[in-house]
Amino acid sequence: MGSADRIRVAARLATEQHALRPVAVVVSAMSKITDLLLDTLRKAEAGDQTDVDANLRHLTTRHIDCCGALLPPERQEAALGGIHALIQEFTRIAKGMMMLGERPPRSVDEAMAVGERLSALLMAEYLESQGVAAVAVNAAEVIATDALFGNANPLMEPTRQRAAKILQPLLDKHILPVMTGFNGSTLDGRPTTLGRGGSDFSASIAAAALDARELWIWTDVDGIMTADPRLVPNAQVLEAVTYAEAAELAYNGAKVLHPRTLAPLAERQIPVWSKNSFAPEKPGTRILPKIECKQGPHAVTSMADVALVSIEPASAALSGTKVMARSLDALARANVELLAITSSSAPPNSWKKIWRWSWLTVTSNRFKWMYRWA
Ligand code: ASP
Ligand code: MG
């Protein structure tokens, strides 16, 4: 959803399929918009009025320009009204944070969903202008989650019920729902988000909730590759991988898929295509419950920006297990993602061994904060 041109391509891909069978679309925000929203909220919390205003202007220009390039003149007024109303909503939340000097997690989630609500609106308006009946749907009305703001988990049964009520009737009427990725809401209606890059996850949750035949995930690479092509120039696209392989690659740093995407699909065994919207004629990678293939490794992946933390009990008299338990508990409270844990023994200077633990973790601001003060 990078630009008016990319939205046109996305709409064309959706329209082609919509002519053949019922289709629901899930969109992410326009590129870099989620970062911009987050930055604006941080600046609001810090009371930085000038930067907040500059960001808001940028947010507005980006969407108004896109609207101008995308829609015929007679449709622009209504769409612009919608864009301004959403940006107004975002501004209201940011101003609240500025007054409070803090960023309550649920307000952050409510504000962050505005990026996807803007792009869903643009996409639906464009489809309508092309003669395709389409409606923008806020996933807060469809995807039910727990209350882990910023990284919420879907509640599948209530989501199925909501999808049956909101999405299915549209599909039955041959109307194309354009649902926001990334967001949801708790059972009592508080807005949540599913974690950065979560639009893929939203799409898989929706696919599972609707018992979809397949899920197509459109990105800007040719599919899942044997390695990161920026690091390994002769990396190749894999024809097919299993859910387990794709999930493991995503979890360990392959950017092509959000790590949690495949979980909702596994139970209903819904197949996935990972395809390139810049080259839709290329086959892409199929992700399936099982595949026939040669033995041996299929792909490698790597991760940057991780921290390695080592701890060692100061004396053999301390219970290493308790030290470890306390450290892990602190990490859990900070919602830090743990990648790997090892233990080894430091050179014993008494008959007792001193165990030493290391763990790898994704660095995050909260983690750094904790690390500094804990
Ligand atoms: N817009 C959200 C993000 O940037 C979700 C997504 O793009 O998948 O994290
Ligand atoms: Mg994405």
Side-chain angles (χ1 to χ4, degrees):
M1 304 292 283
S3 63
D5 277 344
R6 301 311 305 158
I7 294 178
R8 267 190 212 104
V9 170
R12 197 192 67 227
L13 295 168
T15 306
E16 280 166 15
Q17 293 303 315
H18 178 67
L20 307 173
R21 54 185 171 168
V23 166
V25 168
V26 175
V27 292
S28 57
M30 290 185 76
S31 49
K32 306 269 172 11
I33 290 299
T34 306
D35 289 336
L36 180 68
L37 298 178
L38 193 57
D39 184 62
T40 312
L41 300 183
R42 289 203 175 117
K43 301 250 158 80
E45 180 185 31
D48 196 338
Q49 177 91 52
T50 321
D51 282 4
V52 168
D53 289 344
N55 279 9
L56 289 171
R57 275 197 302 277
H58 183 46
L59 180 69
T60 310
T61 320
R62 189 81 196 276
H63 288 90
I64 285 181
D65 288 354
C66 178
C67 178
L70 199 57
L71 299 178
E74 67 278 12
R75 289 202 163 256
Q76 287 194 14
E77 204 183 306
L80 286 175
I83 291 171
H84 283 301
L86 284 170
I87 294 178
Q88 208 42 54
E89 235 181 88
F90 177 81
T91 307
R92 179 183 51 78
I93 301 171
K95 291 253 159 78
M97 290 178 183
M98 183 123 58
M99 272 165 59
L100 283 172
E102 62 178 280
R103 281 183 297 147
R106 70 166 277 190
S107 307
V108 171
D109 282 16
E110 182 174 7
M112 297 288 282
V114 166
E116 271 70 12
R117 290 170 67 196
L118 285 163
S119 62
L121 176 117
L122 284 168
M123 172 87 153
E125 289 286 341
Y126 177 67
L127 284 163
E128 287 267 320
S129 78
Q130 298 302 298
V132 178
V135 182
V137 175
N138 183 350
E141 289 177 37
V142 178
I143 295 187
T145 72
D146 63 12
L148 193 60
F149 298 104
N151 202 20
N153 302 292
L155 304 172
M156 286 314 292
E157 216 20 67
T159 301
R160 283 180 85 76
Q161 289 162 18
R162 290 180 179 185
K165 217 167 86 201
I166 310 274
L167 298 178
Q168 195 60 54
L170 295 171
L171 295 170
D172 293 342
K173 281 185 264 175
H174 202 60
I175 297 172
L176 206 157
V178 182
M179 189 177 86
T180 56
F182 188 42
N183 69 324
S185 69
T186 60
L187 292 176
D188 55 357
R190 289 172 293 160
T192 53
T193 57
L194 303 168
R196 291 305 308 273
S199 295
D200 300 347
F201 192 26
S202 307
S204 82
I205 295 164
L210 289 168
D211 282 322
R213 287 261 185 78
E214 7 180 63
L215 169 63
W216 293 25
I217 297 181
W218 293 95
T219 63
D220 54 4
V221 290
D222 288 345
I224 298 181
M225 307 196 66
T226 51
D228 182 342
R230 284 163 304 183
L231 303 174
V232 183
N234 60 351
Q236 280 166 24
V237 178
L238 291 157
E239 210 175 289
V241 295
T242 64
Y243 287 154
E245 285 168 341
E248 199 67 17
L249 285 170
Y251 184 74
N252 289 297
K255 293 270 156 25
V256 61
L257 207 64
H258 182 271
R260 293 198 282 163
T261 303
L262 297 162
L265 305 171
E267 190 189 323
R268 288 169 204 273
Q269 311 231 319
I270 299 168
V272 183
W273 283 107
S274 166
K275 281 177 70 84
N276 187 353
S277 70
F278 288 84
E281 69 291 349
K282 292 194 180 158
T285 302
R286 199 137 163 86
I287 310 170
L288 301 162
K290 268 203 204 84
I291 55 168
E292 298 285 326
C293 63
K294 289 196 300 258
Q295 292 275 308
H298 294 163
V300 291
T301 178
S302 62
M303 235 182 220
D305 290 329
V306 296
L308 172 68
V309 181
S310 289
I311 54 166
E312 210 172 283
S315 88
L318 283 172
S319 157
T321 312
K322 277 192 190 148
V323 174
M324 185 66 173
R326 281 181 56 197
S327 328
L328 287 179
D329 188 51
L331 288 175
R333 273 183 278 121
N335 203 12
V336 167
E337 200 180 328
L338 212 59
L339 303 171
I341 310 182
T342 67
S343 78
S344 63
S345 72
N349 44 17
S350 71
W351 61 272
K352 257 185 165 175
K353 266 190 181 169
I354 299 184
W355 288 95
R356 191 166 174 266
W357 289 267
S358 298
W359 63 81
L360 273 179
T361 168
V362 174
T363 53
S364 73
N365 283 331
R366 289 193 63 180
F367 175 69
K368 282 182 203 136
W369 183 88
M370 189 201 75
Y371 187 47
R372 237 181 298 138
W373 297 103

